[in-house]
Amino acid sequence: MVHGLRNLITHFIQLFFRVLAICNTVIPVTDNRNSIHYEAESPDEVTFVIAARELGFMLNGKKQTSITLHELEPIIGSMVYRTYKILSTLSFSSARKRMSVIVRTEECQLLLFCKGADSVIFSRLVKDGQTFEAATRDHVSKYSETGLRTMVVAYRVLSEQEFSVWHDEFLNATNIVSANREEMLELAAEKIERDLILLGATAVEDRLQKGVPDCVDKLAQAGIRIWVVTGDKLETAVNIGIASHLLRKDMKQIVVTLSALDNSVFTERDKEAHDKACNESVTRQLHEALNEVTSLEKRSISCSLVIDGSSLVYALSRDLEKSFFDLASGCASVICCRTSPKQKALITRLVKINTRKTTLAVGDGANDVGMLQEADIGVGISGVEGMQAVMSSDFAIAQFRYLENLLLVHGHWCYRRVAAMICYFFYKNITFGFSLFCFEVYTSFTAQPAYNDWYIAFYNVVFTSLPVIALGVFDKDVSSLLCLKYPMMHQDGVQNIFFSWPRILGWMINGVFSSIIIYYFASSSILNQAFRNDGRVAELGILGLTMYTCVVWIVNCQLALYFSYFNWIQHLFIWGSISLWYVFLVIYGFFPPVVSTSAYRVFLEAAAPSAIYWIVTVATVITALIPYFAYKAFQTTLYPKYNELVQIKQHENR
């Protein structure tokens, strides 16, 4: 009897590793040195195949219809080659949570090899195949509590007649072209993936990437709400939450799950009663948890919510989604485990619609594609999980910890740069355009042009374009180290500090004020008095040139005052743009009068020799810049923004 039990255990162990070596999507690749390495979409699959190889079941070759193993034969004590004919493959999906392969052995035996989530496999075991179920459940629970990713392995022996009937039905479902094709395939798979015999369970360590806990802490300090939506078991998800500092010891943990519901009292025909019982259970748990969170908030005790995928089916329904969102919003941390890709997308949509704030989703696998596309911003992590997430995202990073640089450093800089660029565009174009309006008022709207046609054409293209590019590329108020040291600066973007209506209107009013100063200083100082050396007064061409000179100087110097950071490129662009205006005047003034019209030698012969021209330019520029300079000094001294406090601290440290 002991010998028979030993043979049975040996047989199960062999089958266990055969399932790991055969039931997968791994492709063996032979290199130039005749060594085999494995490629697959999932790193877990490669891990299983390597584990089987190390214990004597080596995946040697794979074709579309067959697979070859170099496995240990215990009777003869040596390695032999065995070929298994692949008859059918039922692919893994997040909805099915399992994968099956039907093979024919060299002894013409039909076997179904299956691996998948414990909740799925345990419910499909035959009574005679539950020998190790209690021990396996205990092992799976212990593995999950230590943060390992688990999977259960089972098999089934098929008869020729049963397989033949099922295979015809499966082929019909595969070849059909209709809207319910997936449903028919699922029904066909359900008929064959039953009465399984349990072989054991696997556990894979999924270590957190370097820097994840610190990154989560920084994002939390920045005021970013973090929800974890994963397909792992509840115990594994909780362990990961603790390891990543998302769950803390001082938090009250609230768990919403249907694991306590006794499903054995419901038969297959009682689906409606089962759904009703589940819905009532989730409703009761949500309401009780919401009351508990409300009472704990009064005592300043933070809470964390952990909810599984089966409960989310009902929590995301139209009747309960409001209660679920209110509960999740009241918790400091939220972990949704055992979720499907569709549920991930639905949760993202729920947050986006109810908060009306910018949502960012981070994922690294094909299961995260729906979530990445549903979010306002999708960030894909490239790596061992494949490139599906990266191809579907807006940004791609190599590791999760780079997210803090993306959000807290580049996010802060880019928001400030873009906001400043837009406000500055309003300012410089209003300064230019409203000065024309003032001139038209002076000429009683006779359509007399204040500026030469080429002045107008080159304003946004040549004389004011490069400084704006320097602003959008190089400007930064604080260094990257200080952005990470003071994560709360991220709230500048959340609260829209740099792109609010008061700020936009302030820049527009500044532009109007500058244009009024430009026109009245120039017209009052130049017109109706001797301007040239021979005593002649200035004509409208000289007035337009003086006004335009002041505009170029003021809009570029205004940007120089705004800059918090200077490098040689910014200096080159600002002062180079102003110098380019004078070079243009000299060159354009030598063109024939038919081409240069009102600018014909007006700078060299009239403006440059006149002291009034230079005095007016200097006085106008200083007067137009004083309001912004005074406002900035007053605001920074009495009502500094958070980033300005950091700038002051940085200056004091230096």
Side-chain angles (χ1 to χ4, degrees), residues 201-255:
T202 64
V204 178
E205 184 179 12
D206 187 15
R207 292 182 178 178
L208 288 176
Q209 293 180 353
K210 180 182 177 182
V212 170
D214 292 337
C215 179
V216 171
D217 285 339
K218 288 283 178 62
L219 297 181
Q221 292 173 32
I224 299 174
R225 295 291 301 273
I226 302 173
W227 289 26
V228 174
V229 187
T230 177
D232 292 330
K233 284 175 63 65
L234 188 146
E235 296 85 357
T236 305
V238 169
N239 191 279
I240 292 173
I242 294 172
S244 62
H245 295 178
L246 192 64
L247 301 180
R248 300 187 301 273
K249 292 182 179 180
D250 59 339
M251 284 183 175
K252 170 65 177 176
Q253 193 174 114
I254 298 173
V255 180

Side-chain angles (χ1 to χ4, degrees), residues 189-318:
E190 288 283 347
K191 291 182 179 180
I192 201 69
E193 292 174 327
R194 59 181 177 83
D195 299 336
L196 301 175
I197 299 174
L198 181 63
L199 292 175
T202 64
V204 178
E205 184 179 12
D206 187 15
R207 292 182 178 178
L208 288 176
Q209 293 180 353
K210 180 182 177 182
V212 170
D214 292 337
C215 179
V216 171
D217 285 339
K218 288 283 178 62
L219 297 181
Q221 292 173 32
I224 299 174
R225 295 291 301 273
I226 302 173
W227 289 26
V228 174
V229 187
T230 177
D232 292 330
K233 284 175 63 65
L234 188 146
E235 296 85 357
T236 305
V238 169
N239 191 279
I240 292 173
I242 294 172
S244 62
H245 295 178
L246 192 64
L247 301 180
R248 300 187 301 273
K249 292 182 179 180
D250 59 339
M251 284 183 175
K252 170 65 177 176
Q253 193 174 114
I254 298 173
V255 180
V256 178
T257 178
L258 292 174
S259 59
L261 193 66
D262 188 5
N263 294 325
S264 61
V265 299
F266 301 101
T267 63
E268 293 184 0
R269 297 181 181 179
D270 293 335
K271 187 177 185 304
E272 185 176 345
H274 177 263
D275 290 343
K276 183 178 179 181
C278 292
N279 188 65
E280 291 176 352
S281 176
V282 173
T283 303
R284 176 180 51 79
Q285 292 183 68
L286 289 178
H287 290 164
E288 290 177 354
L290 194 55
N291 293 333
E292 185 177 5
V293 169
T294 304
S295 63
L296 290 173
E297 279 182 348
K298 296 177 181 178
R299 292 183 286 166
S300 300
I301 300 176
S302 58
C303 303
S304 62
L305 173 64
V306 181
I307 183 170
D308 61 7
S310 56
S311 302
L312 279 170
V313 172
Y314 304 95
L316 292 174
S317 64
R318 183 171 297 180

Side-chain angles (χ1 to χ4, degrees), residues 67 85 93 121 152 171 173 254 276 287 306 344 371 393 418 446 458 490-491 504-505 565 602 627:
I67 188 169
K85 186 177 180 181
S93 70
I121 302 299
V152 177
L171 286 178
I254 298 173
K276 183 178 179 181
H287 290 164
V306 181
K344 292 182 179 182
M371 176 179 68
S393 61
V418 171
T446 58
F458 281 174
H490 178 77
Q491 286 295 313
I504 295 172
L505 292 174
Y565 167 82
V602 69

